[in-house]
Amino acid sequence: MTIEQQTDAAWVMARCDELATHSSRPDGIERVYLSHEHRHVNALAAEWMAEADLDTWQDAAANQCGRRGEPHLPALLLGSHLDTVPGAGRYDGILGVLVAIVVARRLRHTELPFALEVVAFGDEEGTRFGTTLLGSRALAGTWQPEWAELTDASGLTLREAMSDFGLDVDRVGEAARAPGSLVGYLEAHIEQGPLLEEADRALGVVTSIAGARRLFVSITGEARHCATPYDRRRDALLGASAAITAIERIARAARSFATVGRIRVEPDAVNVVPGFAEFSLDLRDATDEARDATLDAIRSELELICATRGLTLELRETHAAPAVHCAPALRDAVGRGIRSTADGAPMELFSVAGHDAMAVAALTDVAMLFVRCEDGISHHRDEAVTEADVAVAIDALEMAVLAVADAHRG
Amino acid sequence: MTIEQQTDAAWVMARCDELATHSSRPDGIERVYLSHEHRHVNALAAEWMAEADLDTWQDAAANQCGRRGEPHLPALLLGSHLDTVPGAGRYDGILGVLVAIVVARRLRHTELPFALEVVAFGDEEGTRFGTTLLGSRALAGTWQPEWAELTDASGLTLREAMSDFGLDVDRVGEAARAPGSLVGYLEAHIEQGPLLEEADRALGVVTSIAGARRLFVSITGEARHCATPYDRRRDALLGASAAITAIERIARAARSFATVGRIRVEPDAVNVVPGFAEFSLDLRDATDEARDATLDAIRSELELICATRGLTLELRETHAAPAVHCAPALRDAVGRGIRSTADGAPMELFSVAGHDAMAVAALTDVAMLFVRCEDGISHHRDEAVTEADVAVAIDALEMAVLAVADAHRG
């Protein structure tokens, strides 16, 4: 490890610690879109971007941007996000922004055939307004005007929150980049899974980002007094419990990722057999085809369970996104970047979690570099990366940018 | 059916309809302890008791009472309750009060070796303050002083609610009857189960009232991002789902009544594997021994499920009541009452639901007469009894009183 590597990685680790102190709550990290904390971390990011010889601005969607290069040149965009879930760790999104800034700083004297830009997206998690990727969708030009009326937990609309932040939601379209103005997008991010750790690798090349389907499964039976014999019960929670265990069995066998994260019953009384149960289902796989096949299998099994128990089943889809496949040329560049470190045969893996790159893919080619995180833990204060891994991530992303430049010149 | 039977049963049906109009909400029946509606139905019950030649008073716990007989005589008490759950039917409790009043009216010229009393308890369901049997426990002398500080959904204490009702919670002890002042307690009640209907019987003799144990089962795993592979998950909701299906299987085989009516998870987010799940368990059986054996079997199975899945299990008991066995002499009297109708071999059954008789049993012998209800439905607006069944219930309870008198004289 050279002195410069040590210095850069240590700098990134220290900045991650510093950003973690900008939280809306004292007992953990929470930083949502258009909050005071968002303003503070944008200002810090702008300062660090300026130190990397980037011209900085905050765009119309409150994304913090930095650029170096002639105005007429298309740009290679590096970045990730600075917002967090409640009770977050200090690396999800943040690490990618800081690694991008460090790479821009390292390359400040290197001539490139494109402009270099860094972006710190303001909303990826969607925690505040319930819709994810607001920052990256604004940049990609896929922002929907009706989002202006989305409300947060306090009832404030996105329109009002933007106004309080000093922005005008009706001008958010100005954040959209023109098609052709970008060469591509590279994002470094913690894996949020344990595969790199299990394979003893610091880094990995992302092949695709799984598209999630999200559904609410409703099961209706009959609310009955707890004195009702079993043969007379149509217990919606028993149906839901059988369904949830079946979902695990089916998804596990298919190697899909199914998560039932929410559940509620009615009337929710200790001495009444539940007449209604509703639970969420988040389903992901490497390809849309594999994911949809798993959902078909789950649906058939749930229909059987409900028919057997005299229950009514309803599936209501609330979200569906297609998988995003990383562009071969950019994937190769990331692979070359990793090979320039100690790893001669980079591991390829798909991302189960969603990322800004999914939104940016609507505008330009994307690729991602995954960084090993401890025990695969994310969205948790125990989220952890090592300084040594961050050092090689910086090297790899720098080399990936140079590989893109080579290909661009060629 | 004689004219008098027709008249009495029709009167009871009409009074059930009339009481159903005294509701705190327009879209169904709800009548809780110490409410305006409680005051109104007590006044009506007092009027009807007076018509049955009973001297009436409202006791210190807002139970409406009526009595006929020399002051020095111990009393045979007949009754049930006038409060309801939300969205109630019109017979649970109410039918027993009205049948008791009609029986007192029929016997107004009959000399008895004891005083005859009717009581309309003010709280059996426990809907308002979360603790059941407040009325009957006051009469039985088992009221706990700390209940004064129980609060309702609006934050009002029981002390304040009593004061608003014109009563003093510190004088509720005056509602307690002296040991030895009662001959016994007889309660008519709808079955709230389908067994009489299935056996084609109008009436049944209750052998015992099941004592419920109520627990909260907590399962702790680890909240993880939905990108976590199955082998790394410790999903608390999957543990709970396996537990709930196991509880059904075990209780069904043991012929116990187990109900899981409430469930919640944390963090309750669509894209996070639940790290914590908690559900309620209400467990009942004809005897405490059978019930406790079922709980032991459930506990063993849940420990196994949680151990297999790397989850932590905790069972916290919030309520445990012993089964109440009806007194043989009073059971015989109820049986004689039923035999005086068309039913020569009365069906015996235990009550899965709790009743005022459970509380009164702390003070004196109790027995119960069950009346068939349609499809076993209760705590629901579809709760239904037939006028013909009510007619034989009146006959049977009247004859049971006379049987108690015979035994008392003998």
Side-chain angles (χ1 to χ4, degrees):
Chain A
M1 203 181 290
T2 67
I3 296 295
E4 185 176 49
Q5 278 179 320
Q6 269 191 323
T7 308
D8 285 342
W11 183 89
V12 166
M13 297 302 279
R15 295 296 83 74
C16 287
D17 292 345
E18 180 177 352
L19 290 174
T21 65
H22 293 271
S23 171
S24 60
R25 49 190 225 177
D27 62 333
I29 305 171
E30 179 169 11
R31 192 166 56 243
V32 300
Y33 191 41
L34 303 175
S35 59
H36 292 299
E37 296 74 31
H38 181 184
R39 188 189 306 282
H40 293 149
V41 297
N42 269 8
L44 286 169
E47 189 181 307
W48 300 329
M49 287 175 182
E51 289 169 10
D53 281 347
L54 299 170
D55 297 324
T56 68
W57 74 99
Q58 183 179 272
D59 75 11
N63 299 312
Q64 179 60 46
C65 306
R67 176 185 170 106
R68 184 171 63 241
E70 296 300 317
H72 70 277
L73 284 176
L76 177 66
L77 188 62
L78 313 178
S80 192
H81 62 94
L82 291 181
D83 68 313
T84 80
V85 295
R90 48 188 65 187
Y91 304 104
D92 172 2
I94 291 115
L95 180 69
V97 171
L98 293 167
V99 166
I101 290 172
V102 164
V103 167
R105 191 167 71 195
R106 282 203 188 170
L107 294 171
R108 66 190 178 281
H109 304 306
T110 305
E111 196 170 321
L112 296 170
F114 40 69
L116 193 64
E117 285 196 21
V118 174
V119 59
F121 290 113
D123 178 90
E124 189 264 1
E125 303 287 2
T127 300
R128 182 165 182 185
F129 294 102
T131 294
T132 60
L133 302 170
L134 291 174
S136 39
R137 294 210 262 191
L139 181 137
T142 57
W143 178 287
Q144 303 300 312
E146 62 267 27
W147 293 345
E149 310 312 327
L150 291 174
T151 53
D152 68 9
S154 75
L156 204 71
T157 62
L158 179 46
R159 173 183 300 280
E160 291 162 337
M162 267 214 166
S163 173
D164 292 349
F165 202 82
L167 293 171
D168 178 354
V169 76
D170 293 328
R171 296 180 61 182
V172 83
E174 295 172 12
R177 303 301 179 89
S181 69
L182 295 178
V183 171
Y185 173 72
L186 297 180
E187 179 172 0
H189 202 286
I190 58 168
E191 181 199 342
Q192 302 180 285
L195 300 183
L196 290 172
E197 186 178 75
E198 283 171 8
D200 199 21
R201 311 283 186 123
L203 306 175
V205 183
V206 176
T207 54
S208 67
I209 306 166
R213 289 181 76 167
R214 286 190 184 157
L215 303 97
F216 276 90
V217 179
S218 301
I219 295 179
T220 305
E222 189 184 15
R224 290 291 291 256
H225 191 283
C226 59
T228 307
Y230 274 103
D231 290 343
R232 294 294 191 103
R233 296 187 183 195
R234 296 192 296 121
D235 186 326
L237 177 55
L238 272 172
S241 297
I244 291 165
T245 50
I247 287 168
E248 181 199 29
R249 179 173 44 76
I250 293 166
R252 212 185 242 273
R255 308 180 71 84
S256 299
F257 288 74
T259 303
V260 176
R262 305 193 66 176
I263 187 169
R264 68 182 187 90
V265 293
E266 293 176 8
D268 198 31
V270 291
N271 60 346
V272 182
V273 174
F276 179 79
E278 184 182 63
F279 61 85
S280 64
L281 172 59
D282 179 293
L283 194 61
R284 302 168 189 224
D285 208 323
T287 68
D288 297 345
E289 294 67 31
R291 177 197 66 184
D292 294 348
T294 301
L295 181 58
D296 287 345
I298 287 172
R299 191 195 309 266
S300 297
E301 181 65 20
L302 267 50
E303 280 169 357
L304 192 65
I305 288 168
C306 287
T308 308
R309 291 179 173 271
L311 303 167
T312 309
L313 175 72
E314 194 189 322
L315 274 68
R316 178 168 53 88
E317 189 160 78
T318 57
H319 171 84
V324 163
H325 297 272
C326 293
L330 293 181
R331 268 175 63 173
D332 286 350
V334 171
R336 278 181 62 186
I338 297 176
R339 278 195 300 274
S340 78
T341 67
D343 186 354
M347 178 168 169
E348 301 199 328
L349 69 173
F350 79 93
S351 175
V352 186
H355 295 291
D356 292 304
M358 296 181 83
V360 178
L363 180 67
T364 188
D365 286 349
V366 304
M368 293 189 71
L369 169 75
F370 265 180
V371 183
R372 169 168 56 190
C373 60
E374 191 179 314
D375 199 28
I377 290 173
S378 183
H379 284 193
H380 192 283
R381 59 179 178 180
D382 290 343
E383 204 175 78
V385 294
T386 66
E387 189 176 320
D389 286 356
V390 171
V392 291
I394 295 167
D395 286 352
L397 189 66
E398 180 188 9
M399 194 55 64
V401 172
L402 295 176
V404 176
D406 277 354
H408 200 76
R409 284 192 196 97
Chain B
M1 204 182 286
T2 67
I3 296 294
E4 185 177 48
Q5 280 178 319
Q6 270 192 323
T7 309
D8 286 343
W11 183 88
V12 166
M13 297 301 280
R15 296 296 83 74
C16 287
D17 292 345
E18 180 177 351
L19 290 174
T21 66
H22 294 271
S23 171
S24 61
R25 48 190 224 179
D27 62 332
I29 305 172
E30 179 169 12
R31 195 166 55 241
V32 300
Y33 190 41
L34 303 175
S35 59
H36 292 298
E37 296 74 31
H38 181 184
R39 188 189 306 281
H40 292 149
V41 298
N42 269 8
L44 286 170
E47 189 180 307
W48 301 329
M49 287 176 182
E51 289 169 9
D53 281 349
L54 299 169
D55 296 325
T56 67
W57 73 100
Q58 183 179 274
D59 75 12
N63 299 312
Q64 180 59 47
C65 305
R67 177 185 170 106
R68 185 172 62 240
E70 296 301 316
H72 69 278
L73 285 175
L76 178 65
L77 187 62
L78 313 178
S80 192
H81 63 93
L82 291 181
D83 67 315
T84 79
V85 294
R90 49 188 64 189
Y91 303 104
D92 172 3
I94 291 117
L95 180 69
V97 172
L98 292 168
V99 166
I101 291 173
V102 164
V103 167
R105 190 166 73 195
R106 281 201 188 171
L107 294 171
R108 67 192 179 279
H109 305 305
T110 304
E111 197 170 319
L112 296 170
F114 40 68
L116 192 63
E117 284 196 22
V118 175
V119 59
F121 290 112
D123 179 89
E124 189 264 0
E125 304 287 1
T127 300
R128 181 166 182 185
F129 294 102
T131 294
T132 60
L133 303 169
L134 291 174
S136 39
R137 294 210 261 190
L139 181 138
T142 57
W143 178 287
Q144 303 299 313
E146 61 267 26
W147 292 345
E149 310 312 327
L150 292 173
T151 53
D152 69 8
S154 75
L156 204 72
T157 62
L158 179 45
R159 173 183 299 283
E160 292 163 336
M162 267 214 167
S163 172
D164 291 349
F165 201 82
L167 293 171
D168 179 353
V169 77
D170 294 327
R171 296 180 61 182
V172 85
E174 295 172 13
R177 303 304 179 86
S181 69
L182 295 178
V183 172
Y185 172 72
L186 298 180
E187 179 172 0
H189 202 285
I190 59 168
E191 181 199 342
Q192 301 180 285
L195 300 183
L196 290 172
E197 186 178 73
E198 283 172 8
D200 200 22
R201 310 282 187 124
L203 305 175
V205 183
V206 176
T207 53
S208 67
I209 305 165
R213 289 180 77 166
R214 286 191 184 157
L215 304 97
F216 276 90
V217 179
S218 301
I219 295 179
T220 305
E222 189 184 14
R224 291 290 291 255
H225 192 282
C226 59
T228 308
Y230 274 104
D231 291 343
R232 293 295 191 103
R233 295 186 183 196
R234 297 194 294 121
D235 185 327
L237 177 55
L238 272 172
S241 297
I244 291 166
T245 50
I247 287 168
E248 180 199 30
R249 180 173 43 75
I250 293 166
R252 212 185 241 272
R255 307 179 73 85
S256 300
F257 288 74
T259 303
V260 176
R262 306 193 65 175
I263 186 167
R264 68 182 186 90
V265 293
E266 293 176 7
D268 198 31
V270 292
N271 60 345
V272 182
V273 174
F276 179 79
E278 184 181 63
F279 60 84
S280 64
L281 172 60
D282 178 295
L283 193 62
R284 303 168 188 224
D285 208 323
T287 67
D288 297 346
E289 294 68 30
R291 178 197 65 185
D292 294 348
T294 301
L295 181 57
D296 287 346
I298 288 172
R299 192 194 310 264
S300 298
E301 181 65 20
L302 266 52
E303 280 168 356
L304 192 64
I305 288 168
C306 287
T308 307
R309 291 179 172 271
L311 302 167
T312 309
L313 176 72
E314 194 189 322
L315 274 68
R316 178 168 54 87
E317 188 159 79
T318 56
H319 171 84
V324 163
H325 296 273
C326 293
L330 293 181
R331 270 175 62 173
D332 287 350
V334 171
R336 277 181 62 187
I338 297 175
R339 279 196 297 277
S340 78
T341 67
D343 186 353
M347 179 170 169
E348 301 199 329
L349 68 174
F350 79 94
S351 175
V352 186
H355 296 291
D356 291 304
M358 297 181 82
V360 179
L363 180 67
T364 188
D365 287 348
V366 304
M368 292 189 72
L369 169 73
F370 265 179
V371 183
R372 168 168 57 191
C373 61
E374 191 179 315
D375 199 29
I377 290 172
S378 183
H379 285 192
H380 192 282
R381 60 181 178 177
D382 291 342
E383 205 175 76
V385 296
T386 66
E387 188 176 320
D389 286 355
V390 171
V392 291
I394 295 167
D395 286 352
L397 189 66
E398 179 187 10
M399 194 54 66
V401 172
L402 295 175
V404 177
D406 276 354
H408 200 77
R409 285 191 197 97

